[in-house]
Amino acid sequence: MVKVTIDGTELELAAGTSLFDACRRARGEALPHFCYHPDLSVAGVCRLCQVEVEGMPKLTIACNTAVREGMVVHTRSEKVRRAAQQILEMHLINHPVDCPICDQAGECGLQDQYMTYGLYESEVGKSDKVHKAKVQVIGPRVVLDKERCVLCSRCVRFCDEVTRTGELGIFNRGDRAEIGVAPGHQLDNAYSLNTVDICPVGALTSLDFRFKKRVWLLRSTPSICHGCATGCNVRVDHEAGTVYRLKPRRNAAVNGAWMCDEGRDTYRPLHDAQRLREPLLRRDGALRSATWPEAWAALGAAVGPDAPLGAAVVSPRQTLEEIALFARLAAALGAPTAGVSGGAREADRGEGDDLLRSADRAPNRASLAWLGLAEPAGADLAARVRAARGAVLVYGADPAADAPGWREAVAGRTVIHLGTRRSATAEAADIVIPLSAWAEKDGLLVNRQGRVQASHRAIARPGLALEDWRFLADWLAAAGATDAPASLPDLRRWVAGRVPALAGADLAVLPPEGLVPDAVATGSGGER
Ligand code: SF4
Ligand code: SF4
Ligand code: FES
């Protein structure tokens, strides 16, 4: 350990700690910077993070300096402030300053630094600036504006060090230096939009998000990506009930600062025409709108003491609490627990890689094992359902689309579908119950590490759709249970008491990096 003093605050830090990180700790905020990024190598090119170290003749950049015993550092002196101002002026000499038409405005490092250190009248006229190419589509998801680039090299380092695809480079020298893709190449890797996130200015922007919404109008809700079993931590940016984009939230134990491009698309189905907004009942051969009292009456007629449930199928895309409560409801309605299934496993498997993406596209499959639920796949699922008598209850899954033999297995039987979309299973069902999509509710997911993470409600449910746990609890109570959960915390306590891996865990407030229960951390439970 070494002792350093920064702006009068004494800190004891591990030897080798970067002075940049030490200053962040002492100041409670980062030094001005463009090129530093905690998950990339140090480039030391923007020169914005200069600090004064007593005993050193010149200012030094903090990102490329390690703390030393007895260091006395000043980050807010007049000398430091003046240096930041001069460096900023250099960055702005050729910058187009087209903030009113720039998508980055409102979350731009250059704007932020100018408001802190700049606020001067520029003596460089627009026509004196070096002009470069604007609006270049450099890949399927990214647009480049070369004039706005401050040559921090973050995007280049990301493609070299993280994806190792190396599409980007800095070409030429001096004021002709510019960012670009190698001739004949495109920025086309599975993580390309992370370059947009880390670009401190509006040089790299997202084709999907461009000009859709001014960022200061957006509200952000912390959540978890539901795109695969990795469970990347994300921020859901939304306004007036519409989600506009997902951005990664840093969690060193799960996704670092990154997420994949495919995961960013998972907000789209929230708002498409396939969403269920009201209960539907089959009448005269077609699905027709119904009221909630009509839907409850239909459920009561389809499943009850004289007509026990035949089989129940649940998707590993539902939350831990929902799957646990659904299994309890299915048992109360007469379906053996073995009838609860993870659904069409093959359909939830895609292409994985060794960075983040899991081949398992279900975000919560680990919960099934924790809850002791069988998970027959495809034709095996259809065979199990065929062998059971009575109505079939499907929650979230779409076996009509991905389980061979499903339609024959349920022919002539009442099918009840609980879900969010007009899927193939919903279209063929007799009773369709509209519930909440992932961004419209709170819930817990267990990722492939066995880490419990919390997903939060960002937007309201559409139309007459209900919150899942409430609907399940109401049906459970209607089926005669006197201890159906009265609230989500109540349900979580019940779940924690039922899952051995979670014994003693408090699911009310999870640590920021998620909860890895002791039984999982020591390898005695769960799926790693
Ligand atoms: S495009 Fe953005 S991230 Fe890349 S070097 Fe320029 S400013 Fe930095
Ligand atoms: S790796 Fe998986 S969890 Fe992470 S962003 Fe991609 S789809 Fe989502
Ligand atoms: S952040 Fe230190 S030189 Fe750029």
Side-chain angles (χ1 to χ4, degrees), residues 33-36 44-49 61 63:
H33 64 287
F34 287 147
C35 67
Y36 175 80
V45 291
C46 77
R47 317 307 290 180
L48 259 179
C49 66
I61 54 170
C63 65

Side-chain angles (χ1 to χ4, degrees), residues 69 103 118 252 363 405 489 521:
E69 179 61 36
D103 232 28

Side-chain angles (χ1 to χ4, degrees), residues 2-13 25-26 71:
V2 296
K3 277 193 181 152
V4 297
T5 305
I6 300 173
D7 294 340
T9 303
E10 199 174 277
L11 297 175
E12 204 169 354
L13 300 159
R25 250 180 82 176
M71 237 180 187

Side-chain angles (χ1 to χ4, degrees), residues 191 225-232 259-260 262-264 356-358:
Y191 295 85
C225 174
H226 282 53
C228 81
T230 301
C232 293
M259 70 182 292
C260 77
E262 197 178 298
R264 294 180 198 253
L356 289 176
R357 287 191 306 166
S358 166

